[in-house]
Amino acid sequence: MCGIIAYTGNKDAVTVVLECLKKLEYRGYDSWGIAAVTGDSISQVKRVGKIGEVGISQVKEAIKSENHTAIAHTRWATHGGVTQQNAHPHLDCTGTIAVVHNGIVDNHDELKGGLAGHRFISQTDTEIIPHLIETLAKRMEFGRAAVEAAKMLNGRSAFVAIDSKSGMLIAVRKGSPLIVGVNGAGAGEFFVGSDVMAFLDYTNKVMYLDDGECVVTDGSGTAPKFFALDTGKELQKRVVDIHWHRGSAEKEGYDHFFIKEIMEQKHTIAAAINQDDDKIMAVADAIRNAFGTFLVGCGTAGKVCMTGEYLFSRIANKHINSVIASEFANYQHYLTPRTLMIPISQSGETADVLEAIEVAKSKNSRVISLLNVFGSTMMRASDDFFMVNAGAEMAVVSTKATTAQLAVLTLLAYAAAGELQEGKFLLMNTAGSVNDMLNPRYEEHIRNLAVSLAGKKDILIIGRGLNYPIALEAAIKLQEACCIPAQGFAGGELKHGPLALVEEGTPCIAIVANDETKNDMLGSVMEVKARGGYIIGISPQSHSSFDYWLKVPDAGNASPIVNIIPVQILAYHIAILRGLNPDYPRNLAKSVTVK
Ligand code: F6R
């Protein structure tokens, strides 16, 4: 949450950070701001709203001159409402130190108490940082003051501070992500971003900044220096080339990333299963041999984990556990060095998952992550990783990364059953069916349904077996994109409570797979229908109880992949009809880097 970018180099810094910041918008889009070193002072611009359509001329109205050092921020509010004053960067009293920050300063009230006489103009926790540095810098040089200030902060944080008097820039990592980009062999241009996506258009050469470290540059083009925060010891870092084809981060003619990424599933499922057989077999062996395997994720990735539990039971006859990352610490008593944890995350930056990894590591359990973003914090925190190859996912609502994760887990389950080739065959056929499914007529058929659902106050979704977690995932899509309080249930649970929600015309999406759950699912459908529910059947076959049929291919054990796609399209069109921007759901951000 919140995106940070900093640049120092020979280009116009404001132009560079503006371009980079647009690549980070999915991390937060309440408000944005840019500050640049202009002579011996700092000029800045801050605005409420999204950075997306802002042009350089608008920024240059506020920051007129060419600058070689600048920082920028796109915000997802934690402390303090969405106002121009609360937008970052924040300045000290002298206006010579500016800070952008991602994270939460848990002890900001206490620290503020020690800053009597300072002028605060925002309600943010961040604003104490430049003032702390200002105070400390009266007795020591700026870089040292920033380090000492960082040590005083409790909670997960990452910040970049610039000082117009010394021309220095310092980036500190204490629990929230930051990565350094350099141009050439470590000298010349220097970037710091919340993730590599921010500056990948400028350089693919990175130096990893780990937790408890800082990096300093004096803006003169000499190589940046890395230090340990606690000891002050200088650290030697390697320049690493990132060879990652993240795919296009542009809309390419589509109105929104959301629909573009839905359509990209024509290719991404095939890309997901394009894995190294030896690696897949090694992970499958690790699962087979582990004394307990935990799939761990949040939100949509959490529902993928849950689906994984069903897939392994069904295909590999193997019990594995799925746990929501924020609950994982409660399972620590079951963890041993023989436990295997498989975190699943699109961004690779989710704070709850990172904390879960720390819990697993504290018990010496093995961690193999399933990721979509190369170079992410999770990749480096894990013993091993493998990628789902979905390419950059820009819409906050996850679509193509979800089906790619489902495809890889299905493949893994087949591998664990000793049937890797059968799994590949099934998934290649499924990828082909998805390609056929995603045609304009299908989308129009779903859009027509969206017209009748756009005004509804709630939507129920039911599924069983493999498709019970998909009913839960479908509910997340409708909640976040459409702001409809949709709820997913296991079909069998209806009579234990949720049936009370059904009244005349209540829409109920029923996921009826062609498997052993089919008859029971149709029984659940009849229960809803008998009470006036309007049934939308997602199924390979039509049924007389369906009021509206969304046909899907009969994909066997890959049914979760094909069954979620019509709901993704439905959520997109309902969002549009309700006047919502489906790329930027209310109150959410893509990379959830706070607990
Ligand atoms: C929903 C969605 C979120 C994420 C969750 C975990 O569409 O995108 O629920 O799935 O925040 O994010 P990652 O996968 O980045 O760990």
Side-chain angles (χ1 to χ4, degrees), residues 1-5 21 23-33 72-80 86-88 90 100-104 124-126 156-159 176-178 193-195 198 349 587-594:
M1 321 207 111
C2 298
I4 292 177
I5 179 73
L21 195 60
K23 302 284 185 318
L24 290 177
E25 188 165 37
Y26 63 86
R27 299 180 75 98
Y29 35 85
D30 296 341
S31 51
W32 60 272
H73 186 270
T74 181
R75 181 169 186 245
W76 184 87
T78 55
H79 291 59
N86 288 338
H88 300 211
H90 291 285
V100 286
H101 172 235
N102 173 22
I104 295 178
T124 63
D125 51 345
T126 300
R156 287 180 174 271
S157 276
F159 71 81
S176 292
L178 278 183
S194 291
D195 64 41
E349 302 292 352
N587 303 336
L588 299 179
K590 191 148 188 77
S591 263
V592 187
T593 56
V594 293

Side-chain angles (χ1 to χ4, degrees), residues 1 296-303 344-351 353 370-371 373 378 393 395-399 401-402 405 473 476-477 480 585 588-592:
M1 321 207 111
V296 179
C298 297
T300 286
K303 303 300 172 274
I344 299 183
S345 174
Q346 190 287 130
S347 64
E349 302 292 352
T350 306
V353 185
L370 182 56
L371 302 170
V373 177
M378 235 171 264
E393 190 179 67
V396 169
V397 181
S398 181
T399 53
T402 311
Q405 291 161 348
E473 163 58 6
I476 298 184
K477 295 302 92 158
E480 59 185 344
L588 299 179
K590 191 148 188 77
S591 263
V592 187

Side-chain angles (χ1 to χ4, degrees), residues 31 115 208 225 254 300 338 341 449 480 531 544 565:
S31 51
L115 290 168
Y208 290 113
K225 290 188 170 174
Y254 287 95
T300 286
R338 291 188 57 203
M341 177 202 200
L449 173 66
E480 59 185 344
R531 286 155 183 90
S544 56
I565 291 176

Side-chain angles (χ1 to χ4, degrees), residues 46-332:
K46 309 208 275 191
R47 295 282 182 272
V48 168
K50 294 203 271 294
I51 185 81
E53 304 306 321
V54 174
I56 187 65
S57 55
Q58 289 159 271
V59 176
K60 285 288 179 178
E61 280 167 21
I63 307 178
K64 295 197 171 60
S65 59
E66 275 227 341
N67 308 277
H68 297 295
T69 299
I71 56 178
H73 186 270
T74 181
R75 181 169 186 245
W76 184 87
T78 55
H79 291 59
V82 180
T83 65
Q84 192 163 318
Q85 273 171 342
N86 288 338
H88 300 211
H90 291 285
L91 302 183
D92 70 326
C93 295
T94 67
T96 59
I97 297 170
V99 170
V100 286
H101 172 235
N102 173 22
I104 295 178
V105 182
D106 290 340
N107 56 338
H108 70 279
D109 276 341
E110 185 193 316
L111 292 171
K112 202 168 178 177
L115 290 168
H118 283 259
R119 191 168 33 90
F120 290 91
I121 56 165
S122 81
Q123 288 78 49
T124 63
D125 51 345
T126 300
E127 201 183 2
I128 62 120
I129 303 175
H131 292 280
L132 269 181
I133 301 175
E134 176 192 358
T135 301
L136 294 161
K138 289 185 180 140
R139 340 187 224 111
M140 54 188 91
E141 54 93 22
F142 165 77
R144 188 76 236 147
V147 167
E148 291 307 317
K151 286 188 197 167
M152 296 164 78
L153 310 180
N154 292 346
R156 287 180 174 271
S157 276
F159 71 81
V160 182
I162 49 174
D163 171 39
S164 62
K165 286 188 276 188
S166 61
M168 282 172 76
L169 180 155
I170 180 165
V172 172
R173 177 169 180 169
K174 257 187 94 174
S176 292
L178 278 183
I179 186 164
V180 173
V182 288
N183 186 353
E189 288 183 295
F190 170 80
F191 301 80
V192 183
S194 291
D195 64 41
V196 71
M197 217 113 76
F199 52 72
L200 211 47
D201 285 348
Y202 288 89
T203 181
N204 71 338
K205 296 187 183 309
V206 305
M207 296 169 92
Y208 290 113
L209 182 68
D210 289 318
D211 270 341
E213 295 179 358
C214 67
V215 57
V216 185
T217 167
D218 61 7
S220 68
T222 53
K225 290 188 170 174
F226 290 73
F227 297 94
L229 285 179
D230 53 357
T231 60
K233 200 169 149 254
E234 186 168 352
L235 305 164
Q236 298 309 316
K237 295 275 176 173
R238 279 188 315 127
V239 176
V240 178
D241 284 3
I242 296 244
H243 296 290
W244 177 47
H245 300 290
R246 59 155 190 217
S248 165
E250 306 300 327
K251 290 193 196 130
E252 293 176 340
Y254 287 95
D255 289 340
H256 299 95
F257 284 115
F258 190 176
I259 191 70
K260 176 196 168 213
E261 288 162 5
I262 289 172
M263 293 303 162
E264 281 176 343
Q265 292 172 114
K266 289 178 184 180
H267 316 292
T268 48
I269 293 157
I273 55 167
N274 186 14
Q275 300 278 345
D276 174 352
D277 283 4
D278 291 343
K279 180 118 191 197
I280 286 291
M281 284 314 297
V283 180
D285 281 347
I287 295 172
R288 265 200 304 248
N289 297 328
F291 192 67
T293 297
F294 289 85
L295 300 175
V296 179
C298 297
T300 286
K303 303 300 172 274
V304 170
C305 293
M306 203 174 158
T307 315
E309 201 175 322
Y310 282 87
L311 286 167
F312 269 81
S313 152
R314 191 182 169 83
I315 299 168
N317 199 16
K318 168 97 187 147
H319 172 71
I320 59 176
N321 309 279
S322 71
V323 183
I324 293 169
S326 54
E327 291 294 322
F328 187 68
N330 299 309
Y331 290 74
Q332 57 185 294

